[in-house]
Amino acid sequence: MDIRVSGHQVATGDALKLRVDERLQGIATKYFARAISAQVTFGKGPHDNGFTCDIVAHVMQGLVLKGTNTGMDANGAFDGVADKIEKQLRRYMSRLKDRHSANGNGAAAEGDAGVIDNAGYTVFQDHEEEVESDFPLIIAETRVDVPDASVSDAVMMLDLRNTTALLFRNAGSGAYNMVYRRGDGTIGWVEPHRA
């Protein structure tokens, strides 16, 4: 697995890079025979206090895991987010095993990992600049393909991508739907009204 470690206004030493490489390689080999890549970014914590660590891992075609964590030291921030990524993978593998046994044919249902995430991410401006009250800054633009999925698969993708909302095309109805994480931790599902 190709692992890139970088720092945003933070120097990353060889010891930290080695620790990140060993931990992520171990997680990848535990769950998948062949993982693709991971990007680990360290940054300054809130109010320049502590550290943040973000991981974006492309585990296999169509499966992207994202996680973030903060900590008082870089190792603590990384350990927290690595635990989150491992937990996401464990849930995903458990779900795949449940599907294998439900199908009875030993093959995962099509669509488990058939969603291709070719997201493009562009940062237009540094978000620490002053914001005018009438016209907020556009910080980033993300482009992704809208996946075809069942509602339960969309909820799984929402968890795996560690995001608050996911637009998808409902495989059952063909209509565009959205699932999102509510403030109380439950999942909301938006389905358009059909005339």
Side-chain angles (χ1 to χ4, degrees), residues 146 151 154-155 158 164-170 175-181 187-192:
V146 176
V151 176
V155 171
L158 181 79
T164 55
L166 177 75
L167 178 69
F168 68 100
R169 186 177 182 134
N170 192 323
Y176 289 99
N177 292 187
M178 182 177 73
V179 289
Y180 63 96
R181 189 167 309 282
I187 303 293
W189 172 25
V190 177
E191 185 173 28

Side-chain angles (χ1 to χ4, degrees), residues 110-186:
E110 188 173 338
D112 284 343
V115 178
I116 299 172
D117 187 350
N118 63 349
Y121 183 76
T122 307
V123 176
F124 292 115
Q125 296 179 355
D126 188 3
H127 65 278
E128 294 178 12
E129 294 178 10
E130 195 168 318
V131 177
E132 293 181 33
S133 61
D134 292 340
F135 303 102
L137 292 175
I138 296 173
I139 296 174
E141 175 185 288
T142 302
R143 287 184 305 266
V144 296
D145 289 334
V146 176
D148 287 336
S150 66
V151 176
S152 62
D153 286 344
V155 171
M156 179 183 66
M157 285 186 262
L158 181 79
D159 286 338
L160 291 173
R161 294 178 183 185
N162 194 26
T163 186
T164 55
L166 177 75
L167 178 69
F168 68 100
R169 186 177 182 134
N170 192 323
S173 67
Y176 289 99
N177 292 187
M178 182 177 73
V179 289
Y180 63 96
R181 189 167 309 282
R182 298 167 44 109
D184 62 359
T186 59

Side-chain angles (χ1 to χ4, degrees), residues 95-110:
R95 183 165 177 157
L96 283 181
K97 287 178 184 176
D98 290 346
R99 286 227 171 148
H100 281 281
S101 61
N103 288 344
N105 61 4
E110 188 173 338

Side-chain angles (χ1 to χ4, degrees), residues 25-136:
Q25 293 286 5
I27 291 172
T29 55
K30 183 176 180 180
Y31 293 100
F32 292 98
R34 192 180 63 185
I36 300 172
S37 68
Q39 173 67 43
V40 181
T41 307
F42 290 93
K44 292 183 180 180
H47 311 291
D48 292 336
N49 187 15
F51 292 88
T52 63
C53 182
D54 298 312
I55 297 177
V56 178
H58 297 270
V59 181
M60 56 191 249
Q61 182 70 22
L63 179 61
V64 178
L65 303 176
K66 297 178 183 178
T68 187
N69 193 42
T70 58
M72 291 310 295
D73 64 347
N75 288 324
F78 170 71
D79 287 339
V81 73
D83 290 343
K84 290 178 184 179
I85 293 289
E86 187 167 13
K87 184 177 180 181
Q88 289 174 339
L89 276 172
R90 188 172 39 253
R91 284 183 183 166
Y92 178 74
M93 295 307 293
S94 172
R95 183 165 177 157
L96 283 181
K97 287 178 184 176
D98 290 346
R99 286 227 171 148
H100 281 281
S101 61
N103 288 344
N105 61 4
E110 188 173 338
D112 284 343
V115 178
I116 299 172
D117 187 350
N118 63 349
Y121 183 76
T122 307
V123 176
F124 292 115
Q125 296 179 355
D126 188 3
H127 65 278
E128 294 178 12
E129 294 178 10
E130 195 168 318
V131 177
E132 293 181 33
S133 61
D134 292 340
F135 303 102

